[in-house]
Amino acid sequence: MLGAGDVLDPPPRRVLVAGTAGVGKTTTARRIAQAVGVPHTELDALYHGPGWAVLPTFEQEVEDFTARGTWVSEWQYRQVRALLVERADTMVWLDLPRRVAFWRLLRRTVRRRLRRTVLWNGNVEPPLWTFVTRREHILRWGIAKRNEMRRQVPALADSAPHLRIVHLRSQREVERFVDRLLVGTE
């Protein structure tokens, strides 16, 4: 695996950003896309329909945007992960400490709920008390899935040898990595 200071030659053109809920996948994906001058497609926007229903066009839309020569997206949703890995040239794994990931997820969830932030297709975060009653609540899901990436991403080194994996363990490393991408494109 590569680190924040390693040179990516050739520059990344089809990038996945992996990590647990709350680590900043979408924010980092947007920044990477801007740094290397390629489009970012947010998977949540393709997946979540009104009432949090899965959009029937999800898999086809992922198929379509990954057929292009350049893109950046998040690595999530089991039904499209294999396709994303097959078509990507680089994966950026945000492996931040558990406490950082949970604090960010908690802060984001509370902020979105209190502000009633409209997310994808008119959806808003459910009431905070549903943390106790709904198994799929994002906070419960984030806690339950926190170690999944630590098993899945390293396994890709063998199963997807074409994929460069950049392992970032802190926000400082994320900043260093994105800064290097910016410098490489100037």
Side-chain angles (χ1 to χ4, degrees):
M1 285 195 204
L2 303 169
D6 291 316
V7 174
L8 297 180
D9 188 25
R13 304 307 294 161
R14 295 175 314 280
V15 183
L16 293 171
V17 179
T20 61
V23 295
K25 290 184 300 293
T26 301
T27 299
T28 302
R30 280 189 194 113
R31 292 180 65 208
I32 290 170
Q34 185 176 19
V36 298
V38 304
H40 168 246
T41 300
E42 184 178 2
L43 283 190
D44 283 331
L46 302 180
Y47 185 84
H48 295 292
W52 297 103
V54 178
L55 289 168
T57 56
F58 174 64
E59 291 181 52
Q60 185 59 53
E61 289 193 62
V62 174
E63 172 80 33
D64 293 346
F65 89 77
T66 60
R68 297 190 303 243
T70 59
W71 48 267
V72 177
S73 194
E74 304 80 19
W75 190 55
Q76 50 193 21
Y77 300 111
R78 204 165 263 121
Q79 62 267 47
V80 295
R81 279 187 173 171
L83 175 67
L84 291 165
V85 165
E86 176 186 315
R87 294 186 174 175
D89 60 46
T90 305
M91 175 180 280
V92 177
W93 176 21
L94 305 180
D95 186 22
L96 305 184
R98 244 181 254 174
R99 70 185 184 289
V100 172
F102 182 74
W103 173 247
R104 286 181 177 184
L105 181 60
L106 177 64
R107 191 175 66 214
R108 178 188 81 185
T109 302
V110 169
R111 183 179 57 244
R112 284 178 174 176
R113 179 60 195 164
L114 293 177
R115 293 180 182 170
R116 302 233 194 286
T117 304
V118 177
L119 301 169
W120 315 277
N121 294 300
N123 295 307
V124 295
E125 292 282 356
L128 295 174
W129 60 265
T130 60
F131 169 78
V132 184
T133 60
R134 287 190 185 166
R135 223 178 139 161
E136 71 279 0
H137 190 283
I138 189 66
L139 291 173
R140 289 181 71 172
W141 188 87
I143 292 167
K145 301 291 183 181
R146 68 178 174 244
N147 291 322
E148 206 169 273
M149 288 293 135
R150 289 206 168 142
R151 289 188 301 274
Q152 292 176 342
V153 174
L156 293 173
D158 292 328
S159 65
H162 71 283
L163 189 67
R164 296 178 293 191
I165 301 173
V166 180
H167 189 187
L168 305 176
R169 295 179 177 97
S170 69
Q171 189 60 41
R172 182 175 291 176
E173 288 187 2
V174 172
E175 298 305 322
R176 183 174 176 210
F177 176 75
V178 173
D179 288 348
R180 285 181 63 88
L181 288 176
L182 281 166
V183 168
T185 59
E186 292 175 350

Coordinates of all heavy atoms in Angstrom, one line a residue, residues 102-132:
F102 N -16.1 8.3 14.8 CA -17.4 8.4 15.5 C -17.8 9.8 15.8 O -18.9 10.2 15.7 CB -17.4 7.5 16.7 CG -18.7 7.5 17.4 CD1 -19.8 6.8 16.9 CD2 -18.9 8.3 18.6 CE1 -21.0 6.9 17.5 CE2 -20.1 8.4 19.2 CZ -21.2 7.6 18.7
W103 N -16.8 10.6 16.3 CA -17.1 12.0 16.6 C -17.6 12.7 15.4 O -18.6 13.5 15.5 CB -15.9 12.7 17.3 CG -16.1 14.1 17.5 CD1 -15.5 15.1 16.9 CD2 -17.1 14.7 18.4 NE1 -16.0 16.3 17.3 CE2 -16.9 16.1 18.2 CE3 -18.0 14.2 19.3 CZ2 -17.7 17.0 19.0 CZ3 -18.8 15.1 20.0 CH2 -18.6 16.5 19.8
R104 N -17.0 12.6 14.3 CA -17.4 13.2 13.1 C -18.8 12.8 12.6 O -19.6 13.6 12.2 CB -16.4 13.0 11.9 CG -15.1 13.7 12.0 CD -14.3 13.4 10.9 NE -13.0 14.2 10.9 CZ -12.1 14.1 9.9 NH1 -12.3 13.4 8.9 NH2 -11.0 14.8 10.0
L105 N -19.1 11.5 12.7 CA -20.4 11.0 12.4 C -21.5 11.5 13.3 O -22.5 11.9 12.8 CB -20.4 9.4 12.4 CG -21.6 8.7 12.0 CD1 -22.1 9.1 10.6 CD2 -21.5 7.2 12.1
L106 N -21.2 11.5 14.6 CA -22.1 12.0 15.6 C -22.4 13.5 15.3 O -23.6 13.9 15.2 CB -21.6 11.8 17.0 CG -22.5 12.4 18.1 CD1 -23.8 11.7 18.2 CD2 -21.7 12.2 19.4
R107 N -21.4 14.3 15.2 CA -21.5 15.7 14.9 C -22.3 16.0 13.7 O -23.2 16.8 13.6 CB -20.1 16.4 14.9 CG -20.2 17.9 14.9 CD -18.8 18.4 15.0 NE -18.1 18.1 13.8 CZ -16.8 17.9 13.7 NH1 -16.0 17.9 14.8 NH2 -16.2 17.6 12.5
R108 N -22.0 15.3 12.6 CA -22.7 15.5 11.3 C -24.1 15.1 11.4 O -25.0 15.8 10.9 CB -22.0 14.6 10.2 CG -22.7 14.7 8.9 CD -22.1 13.7 7.9 NE -22.7 12.4 8.1 CZ -22.3 11.3 7.4 NH1 -21.3 11.4 6.6 NH2 -23.0 10.2 7.7
T109 N -24.4 14.0 12.1 CA -25.8 13.5 12.2 C -26.6 14.5 13.0 O -27.8 14.8 12.6 CB -25.8 12.1 12.8 OG1 -25.0 11.2 12.0 CG2 -27.2 11.5 12.9
V110 N -26.1 14.9 14.1 CA -26.8 15.8 15.0 C -27.1 17.2 14.3 O -28.2 17.7 14.3 CB -26.1 16.0 16.3 CG1 -26.7 17.2 17.1 CG2 -26.1 14.8 17.2
R111 N -26.0 17.7 13.6 CA -26.1 18.9 12.9 C -27.2 18.8 11.8 O -28.1 19.7 11.6 CB -24.8 19.3 12.3 CG -24.8 20.7 11.6 CD -23.4 21.1 11.0 NE -22.9 20.1 10.1 CZ -21.8 19.4 10.4 NH1 -21.1 19.6 11.5 NH2 -21.3 18.5 9.5
R112 N -27.1 17.8 11.0 CA -28.1 17.6 9.9 C -29.5 17.5 10.5 O -30.5 18.0 9.9 CB -27.8 16.3 9.1 CG -26.7 16.5 8.2 CD -26.4 15.1 7.5 NE -25.4 15.2 6.4 CZ -25.0 14.2 5.7 NH1 -25.4 13.0 6.0 NH2 -24.1 14.4 4.8
R113 N -29.7 16.8 11.6 CA -31.0 16.6 12.1 C -31.6 17.9 12.7 O -32.7 18.3 12.5 CB -31.0 15.5 13.2 CG -32.4 15.3 13.9 CD -33.4 14.9 12.8 NE -34.7 15.0 13.4 CZ -35.8 15.0 12.7 NH1 -35.8 14.9 11.4 NH2 -37.0 15.2 13.2
L114 N -30.8 18.6 13.5 CA -31.2 19.8 14.1 C -31.5 20.9 13.1 O -32.5 21.7 13.2 CB -30.2 20.3 15.1 CG -30.0 19.5 16.4 CD1 -28.9 20.0 17.3 CD2 -31.3 19.3 17.1
R115 N -30.8 20.9 12.0 CA -31.0 21.9 11.0 C -32.0 21.4 9.9 O -32.3 22.2 9.0 CB -29.7 22.3 10.3 CG -28.7 23.0 11.2 CD -27.4 23.3 10.4 NE -26.5 23.9 11.3 CZ -25.2 24.1 11.0 NH1 -24.7 23.8 9.8 NH2 -24.4 24.7 11.9
R116 N -32.4 20.2 10.1 CA -33.3 19.6 9.1 C -32.8 19.7 7.7 O -33.5 20.1 6.7 CB -34.7 20.1 9.2 CG -35.3 20.0 10.6 CD -36.7 19.3 10.5 NE -37.5 19.4 11.7 CZ -37.2 18.7 12.8 NH1 -36.2 17.9 12.9 NH2 -38.1 18.8 13.8
T117 N -31.5 19.4 7.6 CA -30.8 19.5 6.3 C -31.4 18.6 5.3 O -31.5 17.4 5.6 CB -29.3 19.2 6.4 OG1 -28.8 20.1 7.4 CG2 -28.5 19.4 5.1
V118 N -31.8 19.1 4.1 CA -32.3 18.2 3.1 C -31.2 17.5 2.4 O -30.3 18.2 1.9 CB -33.2 19.0 2.1 CG1 -33.7 18.1 1.0 CG2 -34.4 19.7 2.8
L119 N -31.2 16.2 2.4 CA -30.1 15.4 1.8 C -30.6 15.1 0.4 O -31.0 15.9 -0.4 CB -29.8 14.2 2.7 CG -29.4 14.6 4.1 CD1 -29.4 13.4 5.0 CD2 -28.0 15.3 4.1
W120 N -30.6 13.8 0.0 CA -30.8 13.4 -1.3 C -32.3 13.2 -1.5 O -33.0 12.5 -0.8 CB -30.0 12.1 -1.6 CG -28.6 12.2 -1.1 CD1 -27.6 12.9 -1.8 CD2 -28.1 11.9 0.1 NE1 -26.5 12.9 -1.0 CE2 -26.8 12.2 0.2 CE3 -28.7 11.2 1.2 CZ2 -26.0 12.0 1.3 CZ3 -27.9 11.0 2.3 CH2 -26.5 11.4 2.3
N121 N -32.8 13.8 -2.6 CA -34.2 13.6 -3.0 C -35.2 13.9 -1.9 O -36.2 13.2 -1.7 CB -34.4 12.2 -3.6 CG -33.7 12.0 -4.8 OD1 -33.9 12.7 -5.8 ND2 -32.7 11.0 -4.9
G122 N -35.0 14.9 -1.1 CA -35.9 15.4 -0.1 C -35.8 14.7 1.2 O -36.5 15.0 2.1
N123 N -34.9 13.8 1.4 CA -34.7 13.1 2.7 C -34.0 14.0 3.7 O -33.2 14.8 3.4 CB -33.9 11.8 2.5 CG -34.6 10.8 1.6 OD1 -35.8 10.5 1.8 ND2 -34.0 10.4 0.5
V124 N -34.4 13.7 5.0 CA -33.7 14.4 6.1 C -33.4 13.3 7.1 O -34.0 12.2 7.1 CB -34.6 15.4 6.8 CG1 -34.8 16.6 5.9 CG2 -35.9 14.9 7.3
E125 N -32.4 13.5 8.0 CA -32.0 12.6 9.0 C -33.2 12.3 9.9 O -34.0 13.2 10.2 CB -30.9 13.1 9.9 CG -29.6 13.3 9.2 CD -28.8 12.0 9.0 OE1 -29.2 10.9 9.5 OE2 -27.7 12.1 8.4
P126 N -33.4 11.1 10.3 CA -34.6 10.8 11.2 C -34.3 11.4 12.6 O -33.2 11.8 12.9 CB -34.6 9.2 11.2 CG -33.2 8.8 10.9 CD -32.6 9.9 10.0
P127 N -35.4 11.4 13.4 CA -35.2 11.9 14.7 C -34.1 11.2 15.5 O -33.8 10.0 15.3 CB -36.6 11.6 15.4 CG -37.5 11.6 14.3 CD -36.7 11.0 13.1
L128 N -33.4 11.9 16.3 CA -32.2 11.3 17.0 C -32.6 10.1 17.9 O -31.8 9.2 18.0 CB -31.5 12.4 17.8 CG -30.9 13.5 17.0 CD1 -30.3 14.6 17.9 CD2 -29.8 13.0 16.1
W129 N -33.8 10.1 18.5 CA -34.2 9.0 19.3 C -34.3 7.7 18.6 O -34.3 6.6 19.2 CB -35.5 9.3 20.1 CG -36.7 9.6 19.2 CD1 -37.1 10.8 18.8 CD2 -37.5 8.6 18.6 NE1 -38.2 10.7 17.9 CE2 -38.5 9.3 17.8 CE3 -37.6 7.2 18.6 CZ2 -39.5 8.7 17.1 CZ3 -38.6 6.6 17.8 CH2 -39.5 7.3 17.1
T130 N -34.4 7.8 17.2 CA -34.5 6.5 16.5 C -33.1 5.7 16.5 O -33.1 4.6 16.1 CB -34.9 6.8 15.0 OG1 -33.9 7.6 14.4 CG2 -36.3 7.4 14.9
F131 N -32.1 6.4 17.0 CA -30.8 5.6 17.3 C -31.1 4.4 18.1 O -30.5 3.3 17.9 CB -29.8 6.6 18.0 CG -28.6 5.8 18.5 CD1 -27.6 5.4 17.6 CD2 -28.5 5.5 19.8 CE1 -26.5 4.8 18.1 CE2 -27.4 4.8 20.3 CZ -26.4 4.5 19.4
V132 N -32.0 4.5 19.0 CA -32.4 3.4 20.0 C -33.3 2.4 19.3 O -33.2 1.2 19.6 CB -33.0 4.0 21.3 CG1 -33.3 2.9 22.3 CG2 -32.2 5.1 21.9

